[in-house]
Amino acid sequence: MNIHEYQGKELLAKFGINIPAGVAALTVEEAVAAAKTLPGPLYVVKAQIHAGGRGKGKFKELPADAKGGVRLAKSVAEVEANAREMLGNTLVTIQTGDAGKQVNRLYVTDGVDIAAEYYLSMLVDRASGRIAMIVSTEGGMDIEAVAHDTPERITTITIDPATGFMPHHGRAVAFALKLKGELNKQAAKISQQLYTAFTTLDCAMLEINPLVETTDGNLLVLDTKMSFDTNAMFRHKDVEALRDETEEDPMEVEASKYDLAYIKLDGDIGCMVNGAGLAMATMDIIKLNGMFPANFLDVGGGANKEKVTAAFKIILSDPAVKGILVNIFGGIMRCDTIAEGIVAAAREVDLSVPLVVRLEGTNVEAGKAILASSGLPIVAADDLGDAARKIVAEVKQAA
Ligand code: ADP
Ligand code: MG
């Protein structure tokens, strides 16, 4: 689960971490009111979308030379003019894809006099089984390019969960950032605070880019991206409440209501599969046959009729889907039960595209018989290869 920059900063501030003052705004009027609560005379108006690269982003509706999603304003009137230009328009950044994201919220924040921009992020590193802190003197710009072109400028420090964050970790961060004196102490302190925030809030990822050194010698969090371990959200109701569903794919939101693991992809063939590994294999074999999956969808081990119906509706609501491939392995859940679910769901949703079903496992013959006698145009397949060939052929024929 992701949250907005301003929400992330508000969470970090509770851990004593330095952030510039700022207020979120949903309307131009709110943006003006927000600016009036800040000292000025320099303000920054920032688009709040769940994507980075806003500063260098472009608004679809504005001329190509218009400013991006992070704008300096030198007066309240300039805040107002910028807010008017940004709200409701679509910001395209390297992280949004071509479609971009509509800007529905702004963050009006204090303008900071920047002396240097650094990079600091943390993530759960599965390879080491630790939390990794990644720091670089090259903040503010595209960190992927730094990692690619000058990897020696990136330092990774891993923290053993058994010891937690130790003073030497803080010193290693400060050393990697080449900071001296008072700033060195601040770097050690802020990395300790960020580690505490990360573990306390069950973050999956926390990225500060940039972490800035101000001209008056302070370290400040100027931008943050935070994501959380969804499985831990039950113990952070306050964080869960920050979820902004308008930032998420509507079909993914619908899927999460039924506990379906669904991810929208760019292809033509909708997939409904039980088990993540089987779903991956199904996507691979569709590609092997020359087409692309329209989604990843794992209905899980305990799929019942309600889940199967919900999954069908989600797949069919995607206008890109030209055919559906159901690939289910009946283990604890028997094939006849699944077949009944598929038939009921296909009737309920008024099937408009070819449907190929491959069932295997317990009671498979009974399951196939239910599909065959349903009167629905369901194409049965014997194995995964057969199923993929059949759905590709069906879709090509229908086209
Ligand atoms: P993004 O990473 O989405 O482009 P950032 O918040 O990192 O957005 O902003 C981009 C750049 O804008 C920063 O690297 C920094 O140089 C500048 N900037 C952002 N916030 C402020 C601020 N409050 N004061 C001064 N400059 C800022
Ligand atoms: Mg940034």
Side-chain angles (χ1 to χ4, degrees):
M1 190 191 101
N2 299 314
I3 58 173
H4 289 292
E5 172 200 1
Y6 78 94
Q7 297 168 325
K9 283 182 172 168
E10 283 167 11
L11 287 174
L12 293 181
K14 291 185 188 155
F15 292 84
I17 295 162
N18 272 339
I19 60 158
V23 182
L26 294 169
T27 62
V28 176
E29 294 70 38
E30 282 178 20
V32 169
K36 285 181 179 161
T37 68
L38 299 171
L42 196 60
Y43 310 88
V44 181
V45 185
K46 307 181 80 171
Q48 298 297 290
I49 54 171
H50 285 186
R54 296 162 300 167
K56 289 186 179 155
K58 292 276 169 217
F59 281 98
K60 268 196 174 166
E61 297 83 356
L62 302 180
D65 59 349
K67 286 187 277 177
V70 176
R71 299 175 169 202
L72 282 177
K74 294 197 181 82
S75 63
V76 174
E78 278 188 35
V79 169
E80 179 173 2
N82 280 301
R84 207 175 287 290
E85 221 176 78
M86 294 162 84
L87 276 172
N89 280 339
T90 316
L91 185 60
V92 181
T93 81
I94 43 164
Q95 292 186 8
T96 60
D98 293 342
K101 284 200 160 203
Q102 191 179 45
V103 176
N104 300 317
R105 299 183 196 210
L106 298 173
Y107 190 42
V108 184
T109 173
D110 257 347
V112 172
D113 285 324
I114 301 172
E117 302 198 1
Y118 306 111
Y119 178 92
L120 191 159
S121 70
M122 264 185 271
L123 47 87
V124 179
D125 176 24
R126 289 165 204 277
S128 65
R130 296 173 168 202
I131 288 165
M133 214 175 245
I134 297 149
V135 285
S136 174
T137 48
E138 311 302 300
M141 58 166 133
D142 185 5
I143 195 68
E144 286 83 3
V146 179
H148 185 263
D149 303 334
T150 48
E152 69 282 0
R153 292 190 191 156
I154 293 181
T155 306
T156 301
I157 298 153
T158 63
I159 297 140
D160 192 327
T163 65
F165 195 92
M166 307 284 280
H168 71 84
H169 293 126
R171 288 195 294 274
V173 170
F175 181 76
L177 295 179
K178 300 190 168 76
L179 294 172
K180 306 256 164 9
E182 187 53 35
L183 281 165
N184 179 296
K185 282 186 202 154
Q186 283 194 36
K189 184 175 165 201
I190 204 166
S191 44
Q192 154 96 70
Q193 290 168 321
L194 288 168
Y195 180 84
T196 306
F198 188 96
T199 49
T200 308
L201 297 172
D202 288 307
C203 289
M205 197 273 305
L206 167 56
E207 184 182 61
I208 313 293
N209 189 23
L211 174 72
V212 296
E213 177 187 329
T214 60
T215 47
D216 57 0
N218 283 305
L219 282 185
L220 272 182
V221 168
L222 214 63
D223 183 19
T224 180
K225 267 181 100 175
M226 271 172 114
S227 71
F228 300 87
D229 179 350
T230 312
N231 294 316
M233 284 301 96
F234 73 94
R235 55 185 186 195
H236 302 289
K237 294 292 175 209
D238 52 335
V239 175
E240 200 173 33
L242 301 177
R243 185 169 173 195
D244 179 359
E245 290 187 352
T246 64
E247 285 290 321
E248 298 172 24
D249 183 282
M251 286 180 250
E252 289 179 18
V253 172
E254 185 66 14
S256 71
K257 287 184 197 153
Y258 293 92
D259 212 16
L260 300 165
Y262 172 88
I263 293 159
K264 166 100 179 83
L265 301 168
D266 294 333
D268 300 320
I269 310 237
C271 310
M272 187 168 93
V273 189
N274 64 338
L278 196 58
M280 300 296 277
T282 305
M283 288 158 55
D284 282 348
I285 205 148
I286 289 170
K287 284 192 189 174
L288 191 67
N289 283 276
M291 290 193 84
F292 288 88
N295 64 275
F296 168 97
L297 174 58
D298 173 10
V299 293
N304 53 21
K305 191 189 147 198
E306 284 68 42
K307 271 195 172 186
V308 171
T309 309
F312 254 98
K313 284 186 180 163
I314 289 163
I315 292 175
L316 280 172
S317 66
D318 177 357
V321 167
K322 302 197 173 67
I324 301 177
L325 172 53
V326 175
N327 182 24
I328 301 267
F329 184 81
I332 298 168
M333 172 67 69
R334 295 169 1 230
C335 288
D336 50 338
T337 314
I338 294 163
E340 279 166 7
I342 293 170
V343 169
R347 284 215 172 94
E348 199 174 316
V349 298
D350 185 24
L351 195 62
S352 50
V353 294
L355 169 63
V356 172
V357 179
R358 180 252 178 161
L359 288 177
E360 192 51 84
T362 316
N363 291 1
V364 63
E365 292 310 327
K368 284 184 175 171
I370 290 167
L371 296 180
S373 62
S374 68
L376 288 162
I378 299 174
V379 179
D382 294 323
D383 59 39
L384 189 43
D386 184 41
R389 280 189 296 275
K390 279 182 172 156
I391 189 63
V392 168
E394 290 280 334
V395 169
K396 286 194 172 151
Q397 199 188 330

